[in-house]
Amino acid sequence: MDLGIQDKIAVVQASSKGLGLGVAHVLSAEGAKVVICARTVSELNNAAAQIHESTGNPVLPVQCDVSKHQQLQSLFRQCRKEFGDPDILVCNAGGPPRGQFSDFSKDDWNQAFQTNFHSAVSSVNQVVEAMKTNGWGRLIFITSMAVKQPINSLVLSNAARSALTAYAKTIANDLAPYGITVNCLLPGPHRTSRLEHLVNDIMEDDGCSMEEAWEKLGTNTPLGRLGRPEELGALAAFICSTQAGFITGQSIVHDGGTIKGLL
Ligand code: NAD
């Protein structure tokens, strides 16, 4: 199926590894011109080279900490200069730290909301006028299955992502008349560095190898394995497609059946 995103311009945030890289890779494979960003230049350049080598399509790596407003401005400036105004924006960032609610200071809360909420609001503000003028756009927020079922010890994440979900649902209505869709993708457990601490715990407790620990971690999902970043990437690419133009304001879970609720 041709997704109709050949030559579309896509900014995928926090994309030197993990889920962001998976999404950037699939969008590039579908013919989009992709801008990737992360804080560490060496990892970012490796990721850009990896994607370009595999897809042959242009990839622009831009160093950017999405929690910093000026760096976000620079990210979109460089995108416009190199490729043009973004047609697709995938908001993503590293997850907040784990801990009990009583462990966190006001600064911790501010940092979590800056990174996982305000960065997305600021990014949307910087791309949405051009999308409105073009009468087409795709906004995707990578949140977490924690929006449906809060995860113990991840109170910062649970709260910030729920706020982002409410924001997304609200602007989906405002932007629908302009042909701009707004959706959240809710990953469950995926094999990325975000889960390495759990793998280390399993290795320590069970005395097994790292590969065995990854496999054991996967047995907690009904499908018996962890998600792969490129699977989330394929879902994101479909949501960006012309065929998905009637899907907006949704929170789409990608969790191997982990959430137990009906909806
Ligand atoms: P990851 O650690 O594998 O990758 C995170 C990426 O974000 C890296 O490229 C890193 O350089 C970049 N990054 C981190 N902070 C950044 C910042 N401030 N500015 C720019 N780039 C930044 O993590 P992941 O598994 O890909 O997770 C991505 C998001 O999805 C996180 O918010 C995570 O909490 C969430 N999530 C992940 C899972 C999972 O199982 N992996 C499940 C639910 C939610």
Side-chain angles (χ1 to χ4, degrees), residues 14 16-17 19 64-66 92-94 161 187-188 190 192-194:
S16 66
K17 340 182 250 199
L19 303 180
C64 171
D65 179 339
V66 297
N92 182 36
R161 296 178 201 285
H190 284 66
T192 72
S193 60
R194 174 75 173 161

Side-chain angles (χ1 to χ4, degrees), residues 242-260:
T242 47
Q243 290 89 339
F246 203 51
I247 302 174
T248 194
Q250 300 306 303
S251 282
I252 303 163
V253 178
H254 190 261
D255 71 343
T258 303
I259 296 280
K260 297 292 178 260

Side-chain angles (χ1 to χ4, degrees), residues 10-262:
V11 174
V12 184
Q13 296 176 335
S15 40
S16 66
K17 340 182 250 199
L19 303 180
L21 176 58
V23 172
H25 205 137
V26 179
L27 290 178
S28 176
E30 292 299 324
K33 296 174 184 164
V34 175
V35 180
I36 63 171
C37 82
R39 293 163 302 181
T40 312
V41 174
S42 55
E43 289 180 353
L44 188 61
N45 289 342
N46 284 342
Q50 185 189 323
I51 298 173
H52 177 67
E53 207 170 287
S54 142
T55 69
N57 289 319
V59 182
L60 176 68
V62 178
Q63 184 182 23
C64 171
D65 179 339
V66 297
S67 70
K68 306 268 192 305
H69 182 68
Q70 284 183 341
Q71 293 188 28
L72 273 180
Q73 285 181 315
S74 166
L75 169 70
F76 292 112
R77 217 174 15 248
Q78 290 184 60
C79 174
R80 279 187 202 101
K81 189 167 164 228
E82 194 71 26
F83 292 153
D85 286 311
D87 304 292
I88 294 167
L89 170 65
V90 180
C91 291
N92 182 36
R98 309 176 75 79
Q100 293 303 309
F101 76 92
S102 49
D103 296 341
F104 295 119
S105 65
K106 192 173 175 215
D107 283 349
D108 295 326
W109 279 98
N110 284 340
Q111 184 60 45
F113 269 75
Q114 191 59 38
T115 305
N116 295 97
F117 177 78
H118 292 297
S119 64
V121 174
S122 168
S123 298
V124 169
N125 289 341
Q126 293 182 58
V127 302
V128 80
E129 287 310 320
M131 288 181 181
K132 280 174 156 181
T133 303
N134 290 338
W136 197 95
R138 296 286 184 264
L139 301 175
I140 292 184
F141 304 106
I142 297 182
T143 60
S144 168
M145 71 174 203
V147 169
K148 298 250 179 195
Q149 187 174 290
I151 298 170
N152 290 349
S153 306
L154 280 179
V155 67
L156 297 177
S157 172
N158 298 339
R161 296 178 201 285
S162 299
L164 188 56
T165 305
Y167 167 78
K169 185 69 182 166
T170 310
I171 68 167
N173 292 333
D174 297 330
L175 296 175
Y178 300 95
I180 302 170
T181 67
V182 185
N183 292 289
C184 297
L185 302 186
L186 283 57
H190 284 66
R191 184 168 174 164
T192 72
S193 60
R194 174 75 173 161
L195 299 193
E196 269 169 9
H197 66 286
L198 299 176
V199 164
N200 290 336
D201 289 349
I202 295 172
M203 283 165 67
E204 211 172 289
D205 292 349
D206 299 1
C208 60
S209 70
M210 184 181 276
E211 199 48 42
E212 286 167 337
W214 278 114
E215 273 184 29
K216 281 189 185 194
L217 193 55
T219 60
N220 294 330
T221 74
L223 280 173
R225 66 172 177 84
L226 298 172
R228 302 179 192 109
E230 62 273 19
E231 291 176 311
L232 188 84
L235 174 60
F238 179 72
I239 292 299
C240 291
S241 71
T242 47
Q243 290 89 339
F246 203 51
I247 302 174
T248 194
Q250 300 306 303
S251 282
I252 303 163
V253 178
H254 190 261
D255 71 343
T258 303
I259 296 280
K260 297 292 178 260
L262 285 179

